[in-house]
Amino acid sequence: MPAANHWIVTGNFTDDGAVAWRRADGTWSRAIAEAGLLADEASAKAIAARAVAAEQREICDPYGIEVFAEGTTIDPLTARQRIRANGPTTPIRRPDSGISR
Amino acid sequence: MYQYDDYDRRIIIERAQQFRGQVARRLSGEITEEEFKPLRLQNGLYMQLHAYMLRVAIPYGLLSSKQVRKLAHIARTYDKGYAHLTTRQNIQYNWPRLANVPVILDELASVEMHAVQTSGNCVRNITSDHFAGIARDEIEDPRPYCEILRQWSTFHPEFAHLPRKFKIAVTAAPGEDRAAVRFHDIGLRMVENAQGERGFEVLVGGGLGRTPVIAEVVRDFLPKRHMLSYIESILRVYNLAGRRDNKHKARIKILVTALGVEEFRRRVEEDWEKSRTPALELPDAEVARVSAFFAPPPYENIAADPDRLISLGLGRDRDLGNWVKNNVFPHKVPGYSAVVISVKKPGIPPGDVSDTQLDAIADIADRFSFGHTVVTHTQNLVLPDVKTSELPRLHAELRALDLGEANVGKLTDVITCPGLDYCDLANARSIPLSLEIAERFDRIDYLNDVGDVSIKISGCINACGHHHVGNIGILGIDKRGEEFYQLMLGGSPGNDASIGKILGRALAQNEIVDAVEKVLGRYLEIRDSIDERFLDTVRRVGFDPFKEAVYGSADPLEAAGGD
Ligand code: SF4
């Protein structure tokens, strides 16, 4: 397992609960690859705290996590965050949701 | 089944309207997630890893075909085409959008359903025996009492903010506890006293989770008419003395253990003597009124023919024969049988049932079972009232729907919590283990040879998968962010209740199903006859042979090492 070398900020979208990753420009993405990389925990905490106040309509419960980032890929370091990033590992009856997103 | 009166209807519609306003304010940003969370939880709406999850209450698991069709419609229209059967006889939707939840609640209200009492520190949905009303071994149908408890508990102002959630289960079958009443905050067991009067044995303080406890008997015999007043006294003692400073010590089981059952009983009886009033006594007329909703359906007069089931079980069609042996249960009315539809098919997450399957089940319930279906806490469905002569036709229809697995009560009928694929609280995944077990042991001869054995999997210590009471229990733990599993043996939820114990050191994901296979292999070697169930073998021989099979050594240090 690679060692952590960055932090990113994540939460869930208020609209549908989908996993949200904070881009460097302060907007939120559904793709972890678009997350803005941060140097350390303090920066992640500060941004998450700001998001709790200023972006609460769009995002629920933002917080920072450690990742290993190299080139264009960002790898979470725990099973939980890997599953958050990639979705359930088991079959979903209708993966193409059929609901307008 | 019970039909809402004007009051039931009004409170559910009003609640849905209130929630519509709360959702609108959350979506506009007028209220924050912190403010919204307690409101949504009171309406069964959780935030999971990838989406919201809406848990819908199914009182004592009973559904009409109209309700099943509505659940199918909701799955198709507002979710990803399936519903998930939970381990408390409820269902949950894993993918609703927030803006759609008020519409879903309106849809549910239109068929007398809702999502209250499926979350929060209140009295949760009342559960019962999934064969209630039809079991040969029951004293009386427990559902009227469940329904009375449902009405009493819904929005009860005194008990809306208990120290923790509170679960009540009721059974009226003394011979076999299919509702795990000893693992509930309150378990009511209907019994008859020496005078032949019926009442309840009242058990308190059972539960799973972080601290598994088998409930203690607080009263041997409670006349039925005192059911509500006595439960109020239990709840009042708990509400006053239960801990609120530590979430992990707030369940009633901790209070009962801390006080000792004698002192707990003394306090309850004292409160009861002071507080019970005639207003809380259940009048016979009210019990009769509610019971009328559960009157038996118009059964045909069919001569008893016990050989019929035996010949179906032994017939040429082996699929049908195995299904009859494993999935069909005795019914109290001659000529009828109860059928458990297995929702445990290899390749499909346990308890997930698609919209088309739900629609088809509703049609089947109408044609074969007076329009009724029951959700079991084992994540299957029951058709309670099937004519025994119709079993072959029913089996053919279920098989065509991928619902014909003949594995009820067998190795692959695994209880599985959502685990880390969905659940925000999880340490490890549960569903993939279940799928691996289903795939690896999907051989009917092997299932029949191993016989009755329960595997129960939880993704964390909260124990929604009831791992403590699995004959084989699996608990997901987190080791530095990676998934590991503890293997437990010897649990049982029924009349012979026991809590499983950890076999040895935790195992990695790629080791755990191998370990289950080794345990089963050792059981087959050492059981004293084919009639000795897995659980009985474990109780007879202890853990050493199984430790040796899994870890290569029965040495406790070695087996426990590294954890
Ligand atoms: S046992 Fe844990 S992981 Fe499983 S559903 Fe319950 S809280 Fe989630």
Side-chain angles (χ1 to χ4, degrees):
Chain A
M1 158 115 15
N5 61 4
H6 286 90
W7 285 75
I8 60 175
V9 173
T10 181
N12 291 76
F13 284 105
T14 302
D15 283 354
D16 59 2
V19 178
W21 309 97
R22 199 169 190 279
R23 297 188 181 96
D25 66 3
T27 60
W28 292 83
S29 167
R30 289 170 187 248
I32 189 173
E34 296 183 5
L37 297 174
L38 302 162
D40 52 32
E41 184 175 12
S43 319
K45 273 195 168 160
I47 286 182
R50 247 181 290 146
V52 168
E55 291 150 31
Q56 62 84 13
R57 199 229 64 79
E58 188 182 2
I59 296 297
C60 301
D61 298 331
Y63 59 98
I65 61 163
E66 285 182 293
V67 292
F68 174 75
E70 194 175 46
T72 55
T73 60
I74 299 179
D75 290 327
L77 299 175
T78 62
R80 174 189 169 80
Q81 293 300 342
R82 278 196 295 276
I83 291 168
R84 284 185 80 243
N86 300 318
T89 63
T90 52
I92 299 172
R93 281 302 176 102
R94 198 172 68 204
D96 51 329
S97 71
I99 48 177
S100 55
R101 293 221 169 224
Chain B
M1 65 189 281
Y2 182 73
Q3 310 283 311
Y4 276 13
D5 63 14
D6 286 347
Y7 178 78
D8 293 307
R9 213 166 287 123
R10 183 162 53 78
I11 59 173
I12 292 309
I13 289 172
E14 281 176 3
R15 174 54 89 87
Q17 282 167 352
Q18 283 169 7
F19 194 54
R20 169 169 274 111
Q22 291 155 356
V23 166
R25 277 180 281 150
R26 175 69 192 115
L27 286 169
S28 71
E30 193 183 320
I31 54 175
T32 64
E33 172 63 5
E34 202 185 337
E35 291 161 330
F36 182 57
K37 194 177 288 177
L39 302 173
R40 67 169 162 74
L41 288 175
Q42 282 174 24
N43 292 284
L45 187 64
Y46 292 70
M47 176 77 88
Q48 296 288 62
L49 284 186
H50 317 280
Y52 291 98
M53 177 273 278
L54 182 69
R55 188 176 293 150
V56 178
I58 303 177
Y60 34 95
L62 180 60
L63 288 166
S64 68
S65 52
K66 189 175 165 191
Q67 291 173 323
V68 175
R69 279 190 195 94
K70 181 61 79 177
L71 295 175
H73 167 76
I74 292 169
R76 186 161 47 239
T77 313
Y78 307 105
D79 209 90
K80 293 197 180 190
Y82 71 100
H84 176 74
L85 307 176
T86 80
T87 57
R88 292 205 74 251
Q89 298 185 286
N90 291 323
I91 65 119
Q92 57 196 45
Y93 292 110
N94 283 331
W95 304 94
R97 290 175 70 89
L98 181 54
N100 285 336
V101 174
V103 191
I104 297 174
L105 295 184
D106 289 346
E107 297 260 20
L108 290 170
S110 75
V111 293
E112 307 191 348
M113 295 184 79
H114 57 72
V116 299
Q117 290 175 281
T118 62
S119 176
N121 296 337
C122 59
V123 178
R124 298 288 188 88
N125 186 40
I126 311 292
T127 56
S128 188
D129 183 347
H130 48 254
F131 293 146
I134 56 160
R136 272 193 199 160
D137 55 350
E138 80 185 3
I139 297 175
E140 182 179 325
D141 187 346
R143 293 172 303 177
Y145 300 93
C146 297
E147 176 53 33
I148 289 167
L149 284 168
R150 183 197 72 78
Q151 296 184 19
W152 159 84
S153 62
T154 300
F155 303 146
H156 192 308
E158 188 177 348
F159 307 126
H161 296 285
L162 294 166
R164 275 293 271 147
K165 57 186 167 187
F166 202 90
K167 299 176 182 175
I168 302 176
V170 188
T171 178
E176 190 179 348
D177 175 7
R178 288 171 288 259
V181 295
R182 288 171 185 78
F183 293 99
H184 281 74
D185 296 288
I186 293 179
L188 296 179
R189 287 184 72 229
M190 194 176 286
V191 289
E192 276 176 342
N193 67 9
Q195 289 72 46
E197 296 159 334
R198 291 173 188 168
F200 293 106
E201 180 185 53
V202 183
L203 298 121
V204 182
L208 300 171
R210 191 171 295 265
T211 318
V213 181
I214 299 175
E216 302 261 14
V217 177
V218 166
R219 202 168 222 276
D220 294 325
F221 186 81
L222 178 73
K224 290 190 295 189
R225 68 180 184 284
H226 294 308
M227 177 178 78
L228 293 182
S229 60
Y230 201 78
I231 289 184
E232 287 214 350
S233 289
I234 293 170
L235 277 164
R236 201 167 293 122
V237 169
Y238 170 52
N239 217 2
L240 280 171
R243 286 182 61 174
R244 291 172 186 268
D245 59 324
N246 181 344
K247 191 177 164 201
H248 301 311
K249 300 207 182 297
R251 294 290 289 267
I252 196 171
K253 61 191 173 187
I254 305 291
L255 179 66
V256 175
T257 309
L259 293 177
V261 68
E262 299 297 330
E263 171 61 11
F264 182 82
R265 180 184 298 123
R266 191 194 64 71
R267 291 190 190 191
V268 170
E269 295 279 335
E270 186 181 85
D271 182 275
W272 191 50
E273 286 308 326
K274 275 195 309 215
S275 66
R276 69 182 154 132
T277 64
L280 274 177
E281 273 189 31
L282 278 178
D284 291 345
E286 176 60 8
V287 175
R289 186 188 74 82
V290 177
S291 297
F293 289 108
F294 300 92
Y299 293 119
E300 286 173 32
N301 226 330
I302 303 170
D305 181 7
D307 293 341
R308 176 108 203 189
L309 268 182
I310 297 170
S311 66
L312 283 174
L314 296 173
R316 250 211 218 128
D317 180 342
R318 291 317 304 140
D319 280 356
L320 173 64
N322 282 312
W323 181 80
V324 166
K325 270 197 276 183
N326 294 340
N327 296 37
V328 174
F329 292 82
H331 194 292
K332 67 182 178 192
V333 176
Y336 285 83
S337 295
V339 168
V340 181
I341 303 174
S342 168
V343 189
K344 312 289 172 65
K345 180 164 175 70
I348 294 174
D352 279 7
V353 49
S354 73
D355 56 340
T356 47
Q357 285 177 326
L358 284 167
D359 272 334
I361 289 165
D363 289 348
I364 283 174
D366 279 339
R367 283 184 290 119
F368 289 91
S369 188
F370 301 103
H372 290 153
T373 312
V374 183
V375 180
T376 74
H377 79 270
T378 54
Q379 302 173 292
N380 290 317
L381 292 165
V382 172
L383 292 171
D385 297 300
V386 179
K387 268 197 260 175
T388 303
S389 60
E390 307 242 64
L391 289 172
R393 207 158 61 87
L394 172 62
H395 176 246
E397 291 203 23
L398 290 174
R399 207 161 38 168
L401 291 165
D402 272 348
L403 292 168
E405 289 296 303
N407 60 353
V408 169
K410 299 290 179 274
L411 185 55
T412 53
D413 184 9
V414 180
I415 295 189
T416 315
C417 84
L420 192 55
D421 282 299
Y422 290 95
C423 177
D424 194 38
L425 303 170
N427 288 326
R429 285 171 292 166
S430 305
I431 299 170
L433 299 192
S434 216
L435 294 176
E436 197 181 335
I437 288 167
E439 197 177 319
R440 187 172 310 189
F441 302 113
D442 186 29
R443 303 186 306 275
I444 190 71
D445 292 341
Y446 185 75
L447 295 189
N448 284 338
D449 190 19
V450 171
D452 290 345
V453 56
S454 61
I455 302 186
K456 303 183 198 253
I457 309 176
S458 303
C460 80
I461 195 68
N462 288 320
C464 306
H466 303 177
H467 63 275
H468 296 111
V469 291
N471 299 164
I472 298 176
I474 298 175
L475 165 66
I477 59 171
D478 176 342
K479 278 194 180 183
R480 293 176 296 280
E482 295 306 320
E483 300 160 282
F484 276 79
Y485 298 90
Q486 278 173 345
L487 186 60
M488 304 170 102
L489 300 184
S492 169
N495 278 347
D496 61 347
S498 57
I499 292 167
K501 294 201 174 61
I502 296 171
L503 187 66
R505 72 172 164 79
L507 298 158
Q509 205 203 347
N510 59 6
E511 298 175 310
I512 184 75
V513 179
D514 290 347
V516 169
E517 188 165 12
K518 287 174 188 164
V519 163
L520 292 168
R522 184 54 54 95
Y523 156 67
L524 292 176
E525 285 162 21
I526 63 176
R527 65 181 172 186
D528 68 5
S529 76
I530 54 166
D531 294 327
E532 187 179 53
R533 295 175 313 161
F534 174 80
L535 181 61
D536 297 327
T537 302
V538 173
R539 286 176 175 170
R540 177 172 58 83
V541 303
F543 276 22
D544 283 355
F546 299 104
K547 276 187 189 161
E548 210 267 331
V550 172
Y551 301 101
S553 165
D555 178 343
L557 280 178
E558 199 143 318
D563 198 24

